[in-house]
Structure formats: C-alpha cells, structure tokens
Amino acid sequence: MIQIRRVFTHLEEIRHEFGPVADVPLLRGAIGAVLTNPFAGRYEPDILPMMDALQDVGLDMAQRLLKAMSVPAERIETYGKGAIVGAAGELEHGALWHVPGGYAMRELLGWKGDRNAYAKGQAEEKTGQPANALSIVPSTKKVGGPGAALDVPLTHINASYVRSHFDAIEVRVPGAPSADEIVFILAMTTGPRIHARVGGLKAADISQWNGLR
Amino acid sequence: MPAKIRKIIVQTDEVRVEMGRDVQPPVRKALAMAVIENPCAGRYVENLDELIAIGEELGGLLGARCVQALGIEPGQAQSYGKAAIVGEAGELEHAAAILHPKLGAPLRVAVEKGAALVPSSKKMGGLGTAIDVPLGHKDAAYVRSHFDAMEARVADAPRANEIVVAVVVTDSGRPLPRVGGLTVSEIKGVDGLR
C-alpha cells in the first residue's frame, strides 16, 4: 500500500525581513514525501487502512525533517502539516494524513498523550504543563497538479492562540504530484515570525496548557 | 563588502522510484539559495567588482551548504550548476558579475575538483519567479547521464532590490538514464569535457 517515490526537503534560514537582523536566524523547514496513491482513478469506500499504514511514514518524515534542520527537538516552536493530492485522486485521500502526520510530530516533540484516543479524535483533560506539543497541528490540503504550491499553516506547538507564531510556509515539489501521486507534508520552525509585533498571547504567557492558551 | 543575506534556502530532492522502477541507489540533488541585497540596484554602475566579490563568497557558502545537505564527502559530488534571478531594480549583467568571474573556484573546492564548466542560467524576475538551474557532470561536461536541471524558486524573493543566487550539487545523474553517450566510467577528467 505504501510506495514512497520521492522525498523532498526544504529549509529556510531567515535573518531579517528588512527590520533588525536576528541574533539567531529563524529556521523553517518542511518535508514532502511523494507517495503512490493506491486509490487513484476510482472511488474506494474504505480508505482507513492507509491511515494506519501511514503511521511509520509520518514518524520517519518527522525524524528526517528534524535531522535536516540540524536542531534539537527542544528548539521546535511551531508545526503544521498538509497534503497535495494528484488529479486522479480525491481530497478525502489527503485527509488520511490528519492522524499520522499530526501524531508523528507530536510524539517526536514530547507529547505524552494516548495514541488511541488521539486516533479517535478524543480530547484529554490536562492540568499544569503535562508535556510538549499540546496544540492541534494545523493543516491544509488540496487537489493539485505537478508543482502545485500549498501554504501550510503553522502555529505554536503548545498553545494555538500564541499570536506571534501564527505563520505559514509555502511548500511545493517541482514535478509532483502527478495524477496518481499524493504529496504528504510536515513543517516545523524554531520560532515566531521574524519581526512579530502585533500583540496577543505571548509564548511566555501560556498558562492553561490545554493546547489553546 | 560581504553579501547582505536576508535568507538562505536549502532543498534536497531524493528520487527512489521512477515510472514504477526502483532507483537504486536513489538519485539525490541539493539546492542552496541566498537572497541578497543588490548593491547596484536602481542605477547604472560601471564597475561590478562588488558583485564579483559577492559571487566568490556565495560560491563557497552555497556549495558547502549543498554538500552538507546531501550528507556526503565533497569528493562524492557528481554534478553541479548555478543560476541567479535579479530583481527588477537591477540588470541582467549583475547576475553575470556574480556567476561568472569568481563563483566557480570556491564551489570547486566545496565539491573537490570540478574540471568541467559550471553550467548556468540567469534571468530578471519578481517574487516567486522560478529558474531552472542547468546541471552537468563536474569533471566531464559531456557525460550524458548527468545532463539535468533543478527548479529553484523563493516564494518571497527577489524583491526589486534583491538577487536570488542558486547553486545545485548532486551525488548522481538522472534516475533511469538510457540515452547513451559518454558514461561516468569513461571519464578522463583532464580537459573538463570528456
């Protein structure tokens, strides 16, 4: 069911955007795995087995991305995920990425939750800071042709409302996806927008540890 | 004056399967780009030495970033290429100044040897303009399996007063080469051609 045709990594080291030069550059990274879409060209009612099969793909991609970024997991402050489905597939095939893509990065970054509850979409009650990677992993998906660009949303790993960390990274793999392919994407960064200054909840003020604030 | 770099982008592309066939070992390319301020933007500058010096600086920096991204020893690099996209307040000659006089020497150090010409392309462009960086074998330009290209593009660059400078290094040729010509095993590597 799983055939990985191609793996594409993208790193950005941002020193400034015409404002003060950062002491430590912001690092943003994304990885795209180009997979054969086993459901291309037909309507398949039961696609859930692919979600399970993608778990290992997600974990491998998350580890590869972190390695490509050459930073310890503790420095990752935002994440996001996405999928681009080739023309012979349907949007729902991209939705298969929700659990394996999100889970992979959250486990890598220190999430201690219940994997089975997560797969069922069940929330958990927490008090204090129970771990890292508490936030839902923001996502987007589309059906697109070769070289289609996807703006992958990014939010803070512990509190979705941290305003300085709302961001997005454009990801595209030249030449993919062809009609029978899907590009699954993970993205992570080491910090807020390079010149963040529009107020709102700060990362230092996270207090509820519920993944939101 | 060293290059005023706003951002550096590094991409790797690893092809494992092509047309249903395993590519073993996978073919891998790395692209490194620097978005720099164009010190000659907005006016005609006769002497382009400043850009030539920037080219020399970036040849080493971007070549090393590519080799690092591939996780290889410099001597394992097989093909290379370079390109530049000049923002609209600059002129095409600015790309030539960066690419041609001095970028090649430090790039060749980064990939060890490099007898062959470094293939290049250049254009004027705006934000998100794509350029196809031509690739050729680093020691013998006529190696047919290594004629290739890699697309380079930065979503938010070049601004009008910026230049995107790109270098590509690979550790392999095309995924399933089968159109004949000079092969890697036949390289003499003396004149840069064969």
Side-chain angles (χ1 to χ4, degrees):
Chain A
M1 181 168 277
I2 301 294
Q3 182 187 54
I4 300 174
R5 295 186 181 181
R6 207 171 144 195
V7 179
F8 189 88
T9 66
H10 171 93
L11 298 178
E12 300 176 15
E13 176 188 311
I14 301 172
R15 301 181 179 188
H16 71 85
E17 193 182 354
F18 313 109
V21 176
D23 294 332
V24 180
L26 168 66
L27 195 61
R28 311 199 314 161
I31 185 167
V34 182
L35 271 69
T36 304
N37 182 352
F39 312 122
R42 66 181 198 280
Y43 176 78
E44 170 60 50
D46 182 16
I47 60 174
L48 277 174
M50 176 102 176
M51 189 181 275
D52 288 334
L54 283 170
Q55 297 276 13
D56 290 342
V57 175
L59 288 166
D60 184 51
M61 284 171 62
Q63 285 159 1
R64 279 172 180 266
L65 175 56
L66 192 64
K67 188 176 170 212
M69 293 175 75
S70 301
V71 295
E74 295 74 34
R75 279 201 55 204
I76 300 301
E77 294 187 12
T78 80
Y79 50 29
K81 64 184 192 279
I84 309 173
V85 181
E90 61 173 303
L91 193 64
E92 194 65 9
H93 299 157
L96 287 167
W97 195 228
H98 281 293
V99 171
Y103 176 79
M105 283 187 295
R106 296 181 74 176
E107 181 170 279
L108 183 72
L109 301 179
W111 184 65
K112 305 293 183 197
D114 177 351
R115 186 175 185 168
N116 291 324
Y118 185 84
K120 289 175 191 157
Q122 293 168 349
E124 298 165 89
E125 293 297 323
K126 298 283 187 189
T127 53
Q129 182 177 359
N132 273 317
L134 305 175
S135 304
I136 189 169
V137 180
S139 64
T140 187
K141 63 183 103 49
K142 73 198 284 187
V143 175
L150 190 70
D151 291 308
V152 179
L154 297 163
T155 55
H156 194 279
I157 63 167
N158 285 331
S160 296
Y161 278 95
V162 174
R163 196 176 295 169
S164 54
H165 287 60
F166 286 130
D167 200 355
I169 182 169
E170 186 179 315
V171 181
R172 67 190 276 280
V173 181
S178 57
D180 69 339
E181 292 175 339
I182 307 177
V183 183
F184 290 116
I185 296 162
L186 298 179
M188 304 193 288
T189 81
T190 60
R193 298 181 305 279
I194 192 73
H195 303 314
R197 56 189 190 285
V198 295
L201 180 64
K202 296 181 176 69
D205 295 333
I206 298 171
S207 59
Q208 298 182 16
W209 304 110
N210 57 3
L212 296 173
R213 294 180 175 87
Chain B
M1 275 277 282
K4 289 185 178 169
I5 299 173
R6 177 161 71 87
K7 62 199 292 191
I8 292 174
I9 293 95
V10 179
Q11 297 178 340
T12 65
D13 189 356
E14 174 178 312
V15 175
R16 302 176 179 183
V17 177
E18 176 90 345
M19 199 54 92
R21 289 178 176 246
D22 286 341
V23 178
Q24 206 50 254
V27 303
R28 304 191 311 143
K29 304 178 204 172
L31 160 68
M33 294 178 278
V35 179
I36 62 163
E37 184 181 301
N38 181 354
C40 302
R43 65 196 197 284
Y44 177 78
V45 178
E46 178 65 31
N47 184 310
L48 300 177
D49 285 351
E50 195 172 353
L51 288 168
I52 292 171
I54 286 173
E56 185 172 25
E57 176 187 347
L58 296 182
L61 172 73
L62 298 178
R65 290 290 184 106
C66 287
V67 169
Q68 180 191 7
L70 290 171
I72 59 173
E73 295 300 318
Q76 293 174 278
Q78 293 196 6
S79 67
Y80 54 23
K82 61 187 177 184
I85 309 169
V86 180
E88 57 194 282
E91 63 171 302
L92 196 64
E93 197 65 9
H94 297 163
I98 287 177
L99 293 174
H100 302 307
K102 290 194 171 172
L103 185 146
L107 172 59
R108 288 181 169 93
V109 171
V111 301
E112 213 175 279
K113 201 174 169 184
L117 173 141
V118 183
S120 66
S121 58
K122 64 178 76 64
K123 72 200 293 187
M124 305 292 297
L127 311 188
T129 292
I131 192 163
D132 293 308
V133 184
L135 298 173
H137 195 284
K138 66 170 183 164
D139 293 322
Y142 277 98
V143 173
R144 200 174 292 172
S145 55
H146 285 56
F147 288 133
D148 199 357
M150 184 166 180
E151 190 178 322
R153 172 181 179 276
V154 182
D156 69 345
R159 297 311 219 278
N161 66 338
E162 292 183 324
I163 302 175
V164 174
V165 183
V167 166
V168 175
V169 175
T170 81
D171 68 358
S172 36
R174 295 188 307 278
L176 303 171
R178 53 191 191 283
V179 295
L182 187 71
T183 64
V184 170
S185 63
E186 296 165 344
I187 293 175
K188 294 192 180 74
V190 179
D191 63 1
L193 296 173
R194 294 179 179 83

